[in-house]
mmCIF file of all heavy atoms in Angstrom:
data_model
loop_
_atom_site.group_PDB
_atom_site.id
_atom_site.type_symbol
_atom_site.label_atom_id
_atom_site.label_comp_id
_atom_site.label_asym_id
_atom_site.label_seq_id
_atom_site.Cartn_x
_atom_site.Cartn_y
_atom_site.Cartn_z
ATOM 1 N N ALA A 1960 -12.132 32.061 56.712
ATOM 2 C CA ALA A 1960 -11.177 31.335 57.628
ATOM 3 C C ALA A 1960 -9.827 31.241 57.121
ATOM 4 O O ALA A 1960 -8.860 31.291 57.805
ATOM 5 C CB ALA A 1960 -11.829 29.936 57.889
ATOM 6 N N GLY A 1961 -9.713 31.119 55.774
ATOM 7 C CA GLY A 1961 -8.359 31.033 55.210
ATOM 8 C C GLY A 1961 -7.665 32.377 55.269
ATOM 9 O O GLY A 1961 -6.332 32.445 55.247
ATOM 10 N N GLY A 1962 -8.392 33.481 55.213
ATOM 11 C CA GLY A 1962 -7.787 34.792 55.293
ATOM 12 C C GLY A 1962 -6.674 35.111 54.357
ATOM 13 O O GLY A 1962 -6.711 34.616 53.231
ATOM 14 N N HIS A 1963 -5.790 35.893 54.768
ATOM 15 C CA HIS A 1963 -4.665 36.290 53.879
ATOM 16 C C HIS A 1963 -3.641 35.198 53.620
ATOM 17 O O HIS A 1963 -3.032 35.204 52.521
ATOM 18 C CB HIS A 1963 -3.917 37.474 54.520
ATOM 19 C CG HIS A 1963 -4.759 38.640 54.812
ATOM 20 N ND1 HIS A 1963 -5.697 39.170 53.917
ATOM 21 C CD2 HIS A 1963 -4.823 39.477 55.924
ATOM 22 C CE1 HIS A 1963 -6.258 40.183 54.493
ATOM 23 N NE2 HIS A 1963 -5.760 40.468 55.712
ATOM 24 N N VAL A 1964 -3.672 34.161 54.502
ATOM 25 C CA VAL A 1964 -2.754 33.040 54.248
ATOM 26 C C VAL A 1964 -3.316 32.305 53.014
ATOM 27 O O VAL A 1964 -2.520 31.970 52.083
ATOM 28 C CB VAL A 1964 -2.728 32.113 55.442
ATOM 29 C CG1 VAL A 1964 -1.973 30.757 55.184
ATOM 30 C CG2 VAL A 1964 -2.145 32.776 56.648
ATOM 31 N N LEU A 1965 -4.559 31.943 52.911
ATOM 32 C CA LEU A 1965 -5.059 31.282 51.722
ATOM 33 C C LEU A 1965 -5.041 32.206 50.485
ATOM 34 O O LEU A 1965 -4.709 31.697 49.436
ATOM 35 C CB LEU A 1965 -6.508 30.795 51.966
ATOM 36 C CG LEU A 1965 -7.221 29.998 50.851
ATOM 37 C CD1 LEU A 1965 -6.424 28.808 50.523
ATOM 38 C CD2 LEU A 1965 -8.651 29.691 51.255
ATOM 39 N N ALA A 1966 -5.343 33.474 50.640
ATOM 40 C CA ALA A 1966 -5.377 34.346 49.536
ATOM 41 C C ALA A 1966 -3.978 34.454 48.914
ATOM 42 O O ALA A 1966 -3.899 34.489 47.640
ATOM 43 C CB ALA A 1966 -5.875 35.800 50.015
ATOM 44 N N ARG A 1967 -2.946 34.495 49.760
ATOM 45 C CA ARG A 1967 -1.638 34.562 49.199
ATOM 46 C C ARG A 1967 -1.272 33.356 48.407
ATOM 47 O O ARG A 1967 -0.737 33.479 47.243
ATOM 48 C CB ARG A 1967 -0.632 34.733 50.431
ATOM 49 C CG ARG A 1967 0.866 34.573 50.022
ATOM 50 C CD ARG A 1967 1.362 35.680 49.088
ATOM 51 N NE ARG A 1967 2.762 35.520 48.879
ATOM 52 C CZ ARG A 1967 3.720 36.001 49.628
ATOM 53 N NH1 ARG A 1967 3.357 36.785 50.625
ATOM 54 N NH2 ARG A 1967 4.975 35.829 49.333
ATOM 55 N N ARG A 1968 -1.578 32.238 48.852
ATOM 56 C CA ARG A 1968 -1.276 30.992 48.143
ATOM 57 C C ARG A 1968 -2.064 30.905 46.818
ATOM 58 O O ARG A 1968 -1.523 30.472 45.847
ATOM 59 C CB ARG A 1968 -1.589 29.745 49.025
ATOM 60 C CG ARG A 1968 -0.750 29.758 50.201
ATOM 61 C CD ARG A 1968 -1.010 28.606 51.141
ATOM 62 N NE ARG A 1968 -0.310 28.611 52.388
ATOM 63 C CZ ARG A 1968 0.316 27.585 52.915
ATOM 64 N NH1 ARG A 1968 0.255 26.395 52.418
ATOM 65 N NH2 ARG A 1968 1.056 27.705 54.037
ATOM 66 N N VAL A 1969 -3.341 31.305 46.847
ATOM 67 C CA VAL A 1969 -4.129 31.302 45.575
ATOM 68 C C VAL A 1969 -3.507 32.241 44.611
ATOM 69 O O VAL A 1969 -3.366 32.029 43.324
ATOM 70 C CB VAL A 1969 -5.524 31.619 45.868
ATOM 71 C CG1 VAL A 1969 -6.347 31.854 44.548
ATOM 72 C CG2 VAL A 1969 -6.227 30.584 46.822
ATOM 73 N N GLN A 1970 -3.093 33.474 45.013
ATOM 74 C CA GLN A 1970 -2.481 34.414 44.154
ATOM 75 C C GLN A 1970 -1.139 33.920 43.608
ATOM 76 O O GLN A 1970 -0.938 34.105 42.372
ATOM 77 C CB GLN A 1970 -2.184 35.714 44.964
ATOM 78 C CG GLN A 1970 -1.545 36.789 44.092
ATOM 79 C CD GLN A 1970 -1.446 38.173 44.757
ATOM 80 O OE1 GLN A 1970 -2.423 38.682 45.232
ATOM 81 N NE2 GLN A 1970 -0.239 38.683 44.914
ATOM 82 N N ASP A 1971 -0.379 33.259 44.344
ATOM 83 C CA ASP A 1971 0.905 32.611 43.816
ATOM 84 C C ASP A 1971 0.590 31.626 42.771
ATOM 85 O O ASP A 1971 1.282 31.645 41.642
ATOM 86 C CB ASP A 1971 1.619 31.811 44.919
ATOM 87 C CG ASP A 1971 2.271 32.882 45.946
ATOM 88 O OD1 ASP A 1971 2.367 34.057 45.610
ATOM 89 O OD2 ASP A 1971 2.678 32.460 47.037
ATOM 90 N N ARG A 1972 -0.486 30.839 42.871
ATOM 91 C CA ARG A 1972 -0.798 29.825 41.785
ATOM 92 C C ARG A 1972 -1.369 30.386 40.667
ATOM 93 O O ARG A 1972 -1.082 30.065 39.420
ATOM 94 C CB ARG A 1972 -1.699 28.809 42.456
ATOM 95 C CG ARG A 1972 -0.963 27.822 43.353
ATOM 96 C CD ARG A 1972 -1.816 27.383 44.596
ATOM 97 N NE ARG A 1972 -1.021 26.465 45.375
ATOM 98 C CZ ARG A 1972 -0.162 26.816 46.258
ATOM 99 N NH1 ARG A 1972 0.118 28.073 46.534
ATOM 100 N NH2 ARG A 1972 0.499 25.852 46.999
ATOM 101 N N LEU A 1973 -2.146 31.518 40.790
ATOM 102 C CA LEU A 1973 -2.721 32.171 39.622
ATOM 103 C C LEU A 1973 -1.730 32.860 38.820
ATOM 104 O O LEU A 1973 -1.856 32.904 37.616
ATOM 105 C CB LEU A 1973 -3.762 33.198 40.078
ATOM 106 C CG LEU A 1973 -5.093 32.650 40.594
ATOM 107 C CD1 LEU A 1973 -5.956 33.720 41.130
ATOM 108 C CD2 LEU A 1973 -5.781 31.859 39.516
#
Side-chain angles (χ1 to χ4, degrees):
H1963 303 316
V1964 173
L1965 181 61
R1967 168 63 176 274
R1968 296 179 186 223
V1969 174
Q1970 178 171 307
D1971 287 345
R1972 284 147 179 80
L1973 288 176

